[in-house]
Amino acid sequence: MKNWILCLIPCLLLAGCGESAAPPLTTEENVYAHVVGLGDASGSEDMFQAAFVSGAAPKNREDYGKYAFVVDGTAEINGDEASVPVKIIGGVISSQEGDSAAKEKAGDKSETQMTWKLQREGKEWKIKEAPLPG
């Protein structure tokens, strides 16, 4: 009986060690991820440039870090191009600005809806146009 239990333990341990691969993103999820991630990408010149179609990155990279971007509806995807309704939320406090900036700007929140354009380059979606309010 003891040998049977000793053989069972490694089998149970091995059964729980299988790798589970996440399913691949759908085209729509991939497009949305590029929109939502632009605020973080604005913290690095290289990442910001890589988020856009070649030559399309705006010069005001720092301005994108002042906003949060939320997909606000359904993307229209036609072949290698997509139009995405984006809610741009202003008054977002950067963790780099600290607590005193958060207290000063607590009432400065704003929301604007814009349409961003994305384009597929090879297998990867990139932003073609990402207008900000104002």
Side-chain angles (χ1 to χ4, degrees):
M1 182 71 160
K2 289 181 186 180
N3 290 337
W4 181 79
I5 293 174
L6 291 176
C7 290
L8 183 60
I9 290 174
C11 292
L12 292 173
L13 290 174
L14 289 175
C17 293
E19 290 185 33
S20 62
L25 294 177
T26 66
T27 299
E28 194 170 67
E29 289 169 335
N30 201 334
V31 166
Y32 292 169
H34 281 76
V35 169
V36 174
L38 188 60
D40 289 336
S42 69
S44 160
E45 182 66 33
D46 291 338
M47 288 176 59
F48 190 72
Q49 292 291 328
F52 284 85
V53 171
S54 182
K59 303 266 187 250
N60 59 336
R61 171 179 63 90
E62 294 83 14
D63 291 343
Y64 285 82
K66 298 175 185 175
Y67 297 95
F69 308 108
V70 178
V71 176
D72 192 27
T74 304
E76 291 182 28
I77 301 172
N78 296 314
D80 290 341
E81 296 187 354
S83 294
V84 183
V86 178
K87 184 186 300 181
I88 301 170
I89 304 167
V92 175
I93 304 302
S94 167
S95 60
Q96 298 167 353
E97 293 181 38
D99 289 338
S100 60
K103 289 176 187 169
E104 291 174 19
K105 299 179 184 178
D108 292 349
K109 293 234 183 207
S110 65
E111 291 184 6
T112 306
Q113 180 156 357
M114 309 288 280
T115 300
W116 287 10
K117 307 282 185 196
L118 283 83
Q119 182 175 332
R120 190 181 347 229
E121 281 189 342
K123 293 182 179 182
E124 190 172 345
W125 285 94
K126 296 198 175 196
I127 300 170
K128 185 176 180 181
E129 298 173 18
L132 292 176

mmCIF file of all heavy atoms in Angstrom, residues 68-102:
data_model
loop_
_atom_site.group_PDB
_atom_site.id
_atom_site.type_symbol
_atom_site.label_atom_id
_atom_site.label_comp_id
_atom_site.label_asym_id
_atom_site.label_seq_id
_atom_site.Cartn_x
_atom_site.Cartn_y
_atom_site.Cartn_z
ATOM 1 N N ALA A 68 -5.219 59.385 -20.023
ATOM 2 C CA ALA A 68 -5.497 57.944 -20.056
ATOM 3 C C ALA A 68 -6.368 57.714 -21.278
ATOM 4 O O ALA A 68 -7.186 58.570 -21.635
ATOM 5 C CB ALA A 68 -6.225 57.505 -18.790
ATOM 6 N N PHE A 69 -6.202 56.585 -21.928
ATOM 7 C CA PHE A 69 -6.933 56.277 -23.153
ATOM 8 C C PHE A 69 -7.753 55.017 -22.959
ATOM 9 O O PHE A 69 -7.228 53.985 -22.548
ATOM 10 C CB PHE A 69 -5.949 56.111 -24.318
ATOM 11 C CG PHE A 69 -5.001 57.273 -24.447
ATOM 12 C CD1 PHE A 69 -3.669 57.149 -24.110
ATOM 13 C CD2 PHE A 69 -5.460 58.502 -24.886
ATOM 14 C CE1 PHE A 69 -2.795 58.223 -24.212
ATOM 15 C CE2 PHE A 69 -4.601 59.583 -24.994
ATOM 16 C CZ PHE A 69 -3.263 59.443 -24.652
ATOM 17 N N VAL A 70 -9.055 55.125 -23.263
ATOM 18 C CA VAL A 70 -9.980 54.011 -23.089
ATOM 19 C C VAL A 70 -10.758 53.843 -24.387
ATOM 20 O O VAL A 70 -11.261 54.823 -24.943
ATOM 21 C CB VAL A 70 -10.965 54.286 -21.933
ATOM 22 C CG1 VAL A 70 -11.959 53.158 -21.774
ATOM 23 C CG2 VAL A 70 -10.224 54.553 -20.641
ATOM 24 N N VAL A 71 -10.847 52.622 -24.869
ATOM 25 C CA VAL A 71 -11.666 52.354 -26.050
ATOM 26 C C VAL A 71 -13.119 52.562 -25.641
ATOM 27 O O VAL A 71 -13.580 52.004 -24.653
ATOM 28 C CB VAL A 71 -11.424 50.931 -26.584
ATOM 29 C CG1 VAL A 71 -12.358 50.637 -27.744
ATOM 30 C CG2 VAL A 71 -9.962 50.770 -27.005
ATOM 31 N N ASP A 72 -13.831 53.394 -26.401
ATOM 32 C CA ASP A 72 -15.189 53.786 -26.027
ATOM 33 C C ASP A 72 -16.168 53.438 -27.148
ATOM 34 O O ASP A 72 -16.741 54.307 -27.792
ATOM 35 C CB ASP A 72 -15.217 55.283 -25.732
ATOM 36 C CG ASP A 72 -16.507 55.726 -25.069
ATOM 37 O OD1 ASP A 72 -17.130 54.905 -24.386
ATOM 38 O OD2 ASP A 72 -16.893 56.898 -25.258
ATOM 39 N N GLY A 73 -16.311 52.162 -27.409
ATOM 40 C CA GLY A 73 -17.197 51.697 -28.472
ATOM 41 C C GLY A 73 -16.543 50.538 -29.199
ATOM 42 O O GLY A 73 -15.655 49.875 -28.671
ATOM 43 N N THR A 74 -16.966 50.332 -30.424
ATOM 44 C CA THR A 74 -16.464 49.225 -31.222
ATOM 45 C C THR A 74 -15.624 49.748 -32.374
ATOM 46 O O THR A 74 -16.018 50.696 -33.058
ATOM 47 C CB THR A 74 -17.644 48.403 -31.789
ATOM 48 O OG1 THR A 74 -18.461 47.976 -30.693
ATOM 49 C CG2 THR A 74 -17.159 47.195 -32.542
ATOM 50 N N ALA A 75 -14.492 49.136 -32.582
ATOM 51 C CA ALA A 75 -13.619 49.524 -33.679
ATOM 52 C C ALA A 75 -14.223 49.098 -35.014
ATOM 53 O O ALA A 75 -14.891 48.068 -35.099
ATOM 54 C CB ALA A 75 -12.246 48.874 -33.518
ATOM 55 N N GLU A 76 -13.996 49.899 -36.025
ATOM 56 C CA GLU A 76 -14.339 49.520 -37.396
ATOM 57 C C GLU A 76 -13.039 49.073 -38.050
ATOM 58 O O GLU A 76 -12.139 49.877 -38.257
ATOM 59 C CB GLU A 76 -14.925 50.713 -38.153
ATOM 60 C CG GLU A 76 -16.286 51.133 -37.675
ATOM 61 C CD GLU A 76 -16.842 52.284 -38.491
ATOM 62 O OE1 GLU A 76 -16.483 52.424 -39.684
ATOM 63 O OE2 GLU A 76 -17.617 53.064 -37.923
ATOM 64 N N ILE A 77 -12.964 47.788 -38.351
ATOM 65 C CA ILE A 77 -11.747 47.230 -38.929
ATOM 66 C C ILE A 77 -12.047 46.806 -40.353
ATOM 67 O O ILE A 77 -12.929 45.986 -40.597
ATOM 68 C CB ILE A 77 -11.227 46.043 -38.093
ATOM 69 C CG1 ILE A 77 -10.946 46.519 -36.657
ATOM 70 C CG2 ILE A 77 -9.986 45.438 -38.728
ATOM 71 C CD1 ILE A 77 -10.612 45.421 -35.686
ATOM 72 N N ASN A 78 -11.325 47.401 -41.292
ATOM 73 C CA ASN A 78 -11.470 47.084 -42.711
ATOM 74 C C ASN A 78 -10.108 46.720 -43.274
ATOM 75 O O ASN A 78 -9.296 47.605 -43.556
ATOM 76 C CB ASN A 78 -12.044 48.293 -43.480
ATOM 77 C CG ASN A 78 -13.445 48.644 -43.015
ATOM 78 O OD1 ASN A 78 -14.288 47.771 -42.870
ATOM 79 N ND2 ASN A 78 -13.691 49.918 -42.775
ATOM 80 N N GLY A 79 -9.862 45.423 -43.390
ATOM 81 C CA GLY A 79 -8.578 44.970 -43.920
ATOM 82 C C GLY A 79 -7.438 45.353 -43.003
ATOM 83 O O GLY A 79 -7.380 44.926 -41.858
ATOM 84 N N ASP A 80 -6.544 46.211 -43.499
ATOM 85 C CA ASP A 80 -5.368 46.619 -42.735
ATOM 86 C C ASP A 80 -5.528 47.979 -42.073
ATOM 87 O O ASP A 80 -4.543 48.584 -41.645
ATOM 88 C CB ASP A 80 -4.134 46.644 -43.651
ATOM 89 C CG ASP A 80 -3.690 45.258 -44.064
ATOM 90 O OD1 ASP A 80 -4.083 44.285 -43.389
ATOM 91 O OD2 ASP A 80 -2.956 45.132 -45.063
ATOM 92 N N GLU A 81 -6.761 48.489 -41.996
ATOM 93 C CA GLU A 81 -6.995 49.783 -41.368
ATOM 94 C C GLU A 81 -8.107 49.664 -40.332
ATOM 95 O O GLU A 81 -9.020 48.860 -40.488
ATOM 96 C CB GLU A 81 -7.354 50.838 -42.413
ATOM 97 C CG GLU A 81 -6.207 51.098 -43.375
ATOM 98 C CD GLU A 81 -6.476 52.265 -44.302
ATOM 99 O OE1 GLU A 81 -7.594 52.821 -44.293
ATOM 100 O OE2 GLU A 81 -5.555 52.626 -45.042
ATOM 101 N N ALA A 82 -8.002 50.473 -39.291
ATOM 102 C CA ALA A 82 -9.006 50.457 -38.228
ATOM 103 C C ALA A 82 -9.272 51.875 -37.745
ATOM 104 O O ALA A 82 -8.363 52.701 -37.684
ATOM 105 C CB ALA A 82 -8.522 49.596 -37.062
ATOM 106 N N SER A 83 -10.536 52.140 -37.425
ATOM 107 C CA SER A 83 -10.942 53.382 -36.770
ATOM 108 C C SER A 83 -11.474 52.994 -35.403
ATOM 109 O O SER A 83 -12.337 52.121 -35.291
ATOM 110 C CB SER A 83 -12.047 54.077 -37.565
ATOM 111 O OG SER A 83 -11.566 54.507 -38.801
ATOM 112 N N VAL A 84 -10.954 53.653 -34.372
ATOM 113 C CA VAL A 84 -11.305 53.281 -33.003
ATOM 114 C C VAL A 84 -11.808 54.504 -32.243
ATOM 115 O O VAL A 84 -11.107 55.514 -32.171
ATOM 116 C CB VAL A 84 -10.073 52.699 -32.270
ATOM 117 C CG1 VAL A 84 -10.443 52.246 -30.869
ATOM 118 C CG2 VAL A 84 -9.450 51.564 -33.057
ATOM 119 N N PRO A 85 -13.016 54.420 -31.649
ATOM 120 C CA PRO A 85 -13.478 55.508 -30.797
ATOM 121 C C PRO A 85 -12.734 55.447 -29.458
ATOM 122 O O PRO A 85 -12.743 54.413 -28.783
ATOM 123 C CB PRO A 85 -14.967 55.214 -30.620
ATOM 124 C CG PRO A 85 -15.099 53.749 -30.857
ATOM 125 C CD PRO A 85 -13.993 53.353 -31.788
ATOM 126 N N VAL A 86 -12.083 56.546 -29.119
ATOM 127 C CA VAL A 86 -11.237 56.577 -27.930
ATOM 128 C C VAL A 86 -11.710 57.678 -26.991
ATOM 129 O O VAL A 86 -11.895 58.821 -27.412
ATOM 130 C CB VAL A 86 -9.760 56.835 -28.318
ATOM 131 C CG1 VAL A 86 -8.875 56.913 -27.080
ATOM 132 C CG2 VAL A 86 -9.258 55.757 -29.260
ATOM 133 N N LYS A 87 -11.922 57.307 -25.731
ATOM 134 C CA LYS A 87 -12.207 58.309 -24.709
ATOM 135 C C LYS A 87 -10.858 58.739 -24.145
ATOM 136 O O LYS A 87 -10.082 57.904 -23.670
ATOM 137 C CB LYS A 87 -13.086 57.734 -23.602
ATOM 138 C CG LYS A 87 -13.484 58.779 -22.557
ATOM 139 C CD LYS A 87 -14.236 58.190 -21.384
ATOM 140 C CE LYS A 87 -15.506 57.525 -21.804
ATOM 141 N NZ LYS A 87 -16.257 56.979 -20.649
ATOM 142 N N ILE A 88 -10.593 60.034 -24.212
ATOM 143 C CA ILE A 88 -9.350 60.588 -23.719
ATOM 144 C C ILE A 88 -9.665 61.291 -22.402
ATOM 145 O O ILE A 88 -10.451 62.240 -22.372
ATOM 146 C CB ILE A 88 -8.737 61.559 -24.744
ATOM 147 C CG1 ILE A 88 -8.500 60.801 -26.063
ATOM 148 C CG2 ILE A 88 -7.451 62.161 -24.210
ATOM 149 C CD1 ILE A 88 -8.114 61.674 -27.224
ATOM 150 N N ILE A 89 -9.062 60.800 -21.343
ATOM 151 C CA ILE A 89 -9.349 61.306 -20.008
ATOM 152 C C ILE A 89 -8.184 62.168 -19.553
ATOM 153 O O ILE A 89 -7.071 61.676 -19.386
ATOM 154 C CB ILE A 89 -9.599 60.147 -19.020
ATOM 155 C CG1 ILE A 89 -10.727 59.256 -19.558
ATOM 156 C CG2 ILE A 89 -9.920 60.680 -17.632
ATOM 157 C CD1 ILE A 89 -10.869 57.941 -18.856
ATOM 158 N N GLY A 90 -8.449 63.453 -19.388
ATOM 159 C CA GLY A 90 -7.428 64.392 -18.946
ATOM 160 C C GLY A 90 -7.435 64.518 -17.441
ATOM 161 O O GLY A 90 -8.353 64.078 -16.758
ATOM 162 N N GLY A 91 -6.394 65.150 -16.925
ATOM 163 C CA GLY A 91 -6.299 65.328 -15.485
ATOM 164 C C GLY A 91 -5.770 64.111 -14.781
ATOM 165 O O GLY A 91 -5.876 63.982 -13.571
ATOM 166 N N VAL A 92 -5.186 63.198 -15.537
ATOM 167 C CA VAL A 92 -4.592 62.000 -14.957
ATOM 168 C C VAL A 92 -3.275 62.414 -14.321
ATOM 169 O O VAL A 92 -2.485 63.125 -14.916
ATOM 170 C CB VAL A 92 -4.360 60.926 -16.036
ATOM 171 C CG1 VAL A 92 -3.643 59.729 -15.462
ATOM 172 C CG2 VAL A 92 -5.682 60.520 -16.644
ATOM 173 N N ILE A 93 -3.066 61.973 -13.110
ATOM 174 C CA ILE A 93 -1.868 62.352 -12.372
ATOM 175 C C ILE A 93 -0.778 61.318 -12.594
ATOM 176 O O ILE A 93 -0.961 60.140 -12.358
ATOM 177 C CB ILE A 93 -2.154 62.476 -10.861
ATOM 178 C CG1 ILE A 93 -3.288 63.450 -10.601
ATOM 179 C CG2 ILE A 93 -0.904 62.881 -10.100
ATOM 180 C CD1 ILE A 93 -3.069 64.840 -11.115
ATOM 181 N N SER A 94 0.354 61.794 -13.042
ATOM 182 C CA SER A 94 1.508 60.926 -13.225
ATOM 183 C C SER A 94 2.101 60.597 -11.867
ATOM 184 O O SER A 94 2.196 61.463 -10.996
ATOM 185 C CB SER A 94 2.551 61.645 -14.093
ATOM 186 O OG SER A 94 3.776 60.967 -14.045
ATOM 187 N N SER A 95 2.524 59.375 -11.680
ATOM 188 C CA SER A 95 3.145 58.989 -10.418
ATOM 189 C C SER A 95 4.451 59.738 -10.207
ATOM 190 O O SER A 95 4.925 59.876 -9.093
ATOM 191 C CB SER A 95 3.390 57.485 -10.382
ATOM 192 O OG SER A 95 4.245 57.115 -11.434
ATOM 193 N N GLN A 96 5.021 60.285 -11.268
ATOM 194 C CA GLN A 96 6.272 61.037 -11.171
ATOM 195 C C GLN A 96 6.049 62.423 -10.566
ATOM 196 O O GLN A 96 6.962 63.040 -10.066
ATOM 197 C CB GLN A 96 6.910 61.174 -12.549
ATOM 198 C CG GLN A 96 7.272 59.842 -13.146
ATOM 199 C CD GLN A 96 7.600 59.946 -14.620
ATOM 200 O OE1 GLN A 96 7.443 60.989 -15.231
ATOM 201 N NE2 GLN A 96 8.054 58.863 -15.195
ATOM 202 N N GLU A 97 4.793 62.926 -10.624
ATOM 203 C CA GLU A 97 4.514 64.258 -10.118
ATOM 204 C C GLU A 97 4.337 64.280 -8.604
ATOM 205 O O GLU A 97 4.428 65.332 -7.993
ATOM 206 C CB GLU A 97 3.260 64.822 -10.792
ATOM 207 C CG GLU A 97 3.454 65.096 -12.261
ATOM 208 C CD GLU A 97 2.215 65.668 -12.903
ATOM 209 O OE1 GLU A 97 1.525 66.480 -12.258
ATOM 210 O OE2 GLU A 97 1.935 65.312 -14.045
ATOM 211 N N GLY A 98 4.023 63.167 -7.977
ATOM 212 C CA GLY A 98 3.919 63.081 -6.530
ATOM 213 C C GLY A 98 2.562 63.448 -5.980
ATOM 214 O O GLY A 98 1.653 63.854 -6.692
ATOM 215 N N ASP A 99 2.417 63.309 -4.644
ATOM 216 C CA ASP A 99 1.143 63.522 -3.966
ATOM 217 C C ASP A 99 0.679 64.975 -3.997
ATOM 218 O O ASP A 99 -0.502 65.255 -4.091
ATOM 219 C CB ASP A 99 1.229 63.062 -2.509
ATOM 220 C CG ASP A 99 1.306 61.560 -2.389
ATOM 221 O OD1 ASP A 99 0.879 60.877 -3.341
ATOM 222 O OD2 ASP A 99 1.791 61.066 -1.356
ATOM 223 N N SER A 100 1.590 65.930 -3.897
ATOM 224 C CA SER A 100 1.168 67.330 -3.865
ATOM 225 C C SER A 100 0.518 67.727 -5.187
ATOM 226 O O SER A 100 -0.459 68.479 -5.211
ATOM 227 C CB SER A 100 2.352 68.251 -3.555
ATOM 228 O OG SER A 100 3.352 68.106 -4.549
ATOM 229 N N ALA A 101 1.021 67.222 -6.300
ATOM 230 C CA ALA A 101 0.402 67.510 -7.599
ATOM 231 C C ALA A 101 -0.980 66.887 -7.672
ATOM 232 O O ALA A 101 -1.897 67.470 -8.243
ATOM 233 C CB ALA A 101 1.287 66.982 -8.727
ATOM 234 N N ALA A 102 -1.157 65.719 -7.091
ATOM 235 C CA ALA A 102 -2.465 65.056 -7.107
ATOM 236 C C ALA A 102 -3.489 65.880 -6.344
ATOM 237 O O ALA A 102 -4.625 66.014 -6.769
ATOM 238 C CB ALA A 102 -2.347 63.658 -6.494
#
